[in-house]
Amino acid sequence: MPIPPEDHIFVDDVKKSFGQTHVIHGITMHLRRQETAVIIGGSGAGKTTLLRMLIGLERPSSGHIWVDGEDMSALDDYEMNRMRQKFGMMFQYAALLDSLTVFDNVAFPLREHKKNMTEKEIRDRVVRMLNGLGIMNKEERMPSELSGGQRKRVGLARALMLDPEILIYDEPTSGLDPLTSRMVDDLIEETRAKFNITSVVISHDMASTFRIAHQAFLVVHGKVIAHGKPDELAFGENEEARNFIKASGIAADRIRRVDSSKGGTAI
Ligand SMILES: Nc1ncnc2c1ncn2[C@@H]1O[C@H](COP(=O)(O)OP(=O)(O)O)[C@@H](O)[C@H]1O
Ligand SMILES: [Mg+2]
């Protein structure tokens, strides 16, 4: 079957079991280039397992994951490493190393993967990226001296260091107050537009989903039971999807996607 060229990632009937435990029961998803896909679902639904397969940390028990038209399941370890460089990861709580300065946190991927860069080239690139994300003169600070929003920006700078095509965000707004969460939504949308990035976001935050998603996928017991624009899930045919969104308590008819062309808010 030909893969649609607009699919950056095509998850093709993927199943995953751990021993006798069947966790993913045949998931198919088309994740389009330079769009934001948000994967929603209750805890234990299989979101993290799906995410780990997307970035090649787990292999499907059956089915295929195609990235840029290449079948990840056919790759050997060397080719898988090359493939992983297409992905940037924004971990939950930004996951900065507390004992390192902001500069050393952001420089970390370059020091690991770009052994021939000079210290000066590294410094230039790190400072340019931080400044581009609105973090000025904080290179020598420790992560503990930053606000929650600033830490997110530093984590994002680090995730962008190796020029990923795809950014994966694991629960980017969890643990943040509502105002900072909305600013992180703006940041995700601005980053997508500025770097032409395809974003995949795992989220429990329904307001965030409505603000950033081009497509949302509702995962229940290892299956995608509904997908589409958030509006289509909130007001469409699928009762389970309608109820899931209603249960979050958000005013689904009042939240619109953020428009990156209008400029965002600084954290
Ligand atoms: N390595 C593993 N071995 C056995 N069971 C696992 C493993 N990883 C996840 N699971 C099980 O798979 C189910 C889905 O987990 P997970 O993908 O973490 O869900 P979510 O991220 O949606 O909360 C859970 O029941 C979990 O216990
Ligand atoms: Mg999880």
Side-chain angles (χ1 to χ4, degrees):
M1 182 181 56
I3 298 163
E6 66 273 21
D7 278 16
H8 205 162
I9 304 175
F10 172 35
V11 178
D12 181 9
D13 195 19
V14 162
K15 298 181 182 154
K16 180 71 181 174
S17 307
F18 299 100
Q20 294 304 305
T21 315
H22 305 296
V23 173
I24 302 289
H25 302 273
I27 282 187
T28 295
M29 300 194 297
H30 297 271
L31 307 181
R32 294 189 291 260
R33 248 168 247 285
Q34 297 176 23
E35 288 195 358
T36 299
V38 181
I39 298 170
I40 56 180
S43 64
K47 303 182 299 299
T48 298
T49 305
L50 187 57
L51 180 148
R52 289 174 60 80
M53 289 191 285
L54 289 181
I55 57 178
L57 288 178
E58 301 273 2
R59 288 181 186 262
S61 305
S62 71
H64 300 268
I65 296 175
W66 305 81
V67 179
D68 280 328
E70 265 192 282
D71 183 358
M72 281 177 80
S73 53
L75 303 181
D76 63 25
D77 289 351
Y78 175 82
E79 293 165 325
M80 188 65 101
N81 268 330
R82 172 181 54 79
M83 181 65 90
R84 276 202 198 112
Q85 299 220 358
K86 293 188 181 193
F87 291 87
M89 249 327 269
M90 258 297 273
F91 296 99
Q92 211 167 356
Y93 309 120
L96 299 176
L97 299 163
D98 288 331
S99 59
L100 298 183
T101 62
V102 165
F103 179 83
D104 286 331
N105 265 284
V106 179
F108 198 86
L110 297 179
R111 291 188 170 136
E112 286 289 297
H113 293 280
K114 305 275 178 195
K115 301 280 188 205
N116 51 5
M117 276 180 92
T118 65
E119 254 328 280
K120 175 164 188 331
E121 287 166 336
I122 290 177
R123 180 155 292 272
D124 286 351
R125 178 152 171 73
V126 168
V127 171
R128 210 169 339 117
M129 183 62 79
L130 284 168
N131 290 351
L133 292 172
I135 300 285
M136 311 289 182
N137 304 317
K138 301 259 191 293
E139 290 80 17
E140 302 317 316
R141 299 287 181 89
M142 302 309 282
S144 59
E145 298 175 89
L146 305 179
S147 70
Q150 287 170 336
R151 278 203 291 277
K152 289 283 171 185
R153 287 183 181 252
V154 173
L156 189 56
R158 183 180 57 188
L160 289 167
M161 270 298 108
L162 299 175
D163 296 319
E165 299 172 14
I166 301 161
L167 261 180
I168 312 265
Y169 299 84
D170 187 14
E171 303 272 354
T173 58
S174 85
L176 298 178
D177 63 77
L179 187 62
T180 308
S181 295
R182 300 298 75 88
M183 289 171 175
V184 168
D185 294 339
D186 291 343
L187 185 60
I188 291 171
E189 172 57 16
E190 283 164 34
T191 303
R192 181 195 70 78
K194 185 168 164 190
F195 298 94
N196 297 321
I197 274 182
T198 301
S199 314
V200 184
V201 182
I202 302 247
S203 189
H204 272 117
D205 179 342
M206 215 50 63
S208 173
T209 302
F210 272 75
R211 286 169 49 86
I212 64 176
H214 293 94
Q215 289 193 91
F217 295 85
L218 174 56
V219 178
V220 176
H221 297 312
K223 279 191 168 147
V224 172
I225 62 145
H227 71 96
K229 292 180 185 155
D231 269 353
E232 293 168 348
L233 268 56
F235 306 111
E237 301 276 294
N238 189 301
E239 188 181 3
E240 204 171 348
R242 288 202 309 272
N243 288 340
F244 186 86
I245 290 169
K246 200 184 281 173
S248 74
I250 62 156
D253 54 333
R254 302 230 316 264
I255 312 177
R256 298 271 75 84
R257 248 196 111 249
V258 290
D259 182 353
S260 55
S261 63
K262 290 189 184 133
T265 358
I267 296 183

